[in-house]
Amino acid sequence: MIAICRHCSKSKVNRPRGLCWSCYYTPGVKELYPSTSKYARRGVGNFTGNAPLPGAPTTAAPGTPEKLAVLEQRAKMKQAIFHPADARYEGDSRPLEFLKHKTANVA
Ligand SMILES: [Zn+2]
């Protein structure tokens, strides 16, 4: 499938935002088309850098479909993509330890 430029509908897309080279570099054109990347900065409401931490770390190991689903969910919730206590390998007890301590502190 060949993507066609969203602006001129003539050229092949070879720049970000679904634009062709000449449209992307035409002043004012790329501002009309928001970034298509869900991880990119989005102006007002942008959450890169100061997003709240997710409510809980995940036990899913990096690179697994489960982990990817968690990351996607966090991005949707405008939360930080990574939690410091996320599992770093299959069977990592870090997230469980984190939750144990968190519960202990609350109680
Ligand atoms: Zn174009």
Side-chain angles (χ1 to χ4, degrees):
M1 175 188 134
I2 298 171
I4 297 298
C5 174
R6 297 160 74 189
H7 187 68
C8 65
S9 307
K10 275 180 236 159
S11 305
K12 213 175 81 183
V13 170
N14 53 15
R15 291 284 82 199
R17 309 192 191 195
L19 296 172
C20 70
W21 187 281
S22 53
C23 289
Y24 190 80
Y25 289 107
T26 299
V29 171
K30 74 172 188 282
E31 283 73 21
L32 299 173
Y33 300 90
S35 170
T36 51
S37 167
K38 67 182 170 186
Y39 297 119
R41 300 178 66 90
R42 287 176 195 265
V44 181
N46 152 63
F47 58 92
T48 305
N50 52 10
L53 279 181
T58 176
T59 54
T64 59
E66 290 80 7
K67 179 66 181 274
L68 293 178
V70 168
L71 297 185
E72 196 181 321
Q73 185 64 29
R74 287 174 177 171
K76 261 187 221 158
M77 306 281 288
K78 296 200 183 331
Q79 293 173 332
I81 302 298
F82 297 102
H83 189 288
D86 279 351
R88 303 197 182 172
Y89 51 87
E90 192 71 57
D92 190 356
S93 63
R94 189 189 312 265
L96 300 176
E97 290 296 319
F98 176 88
L99 290 174
K100 221 189 284 175
H101 290 300
K102 194 179 177 189
T103 313
N105 289 340
V106 169

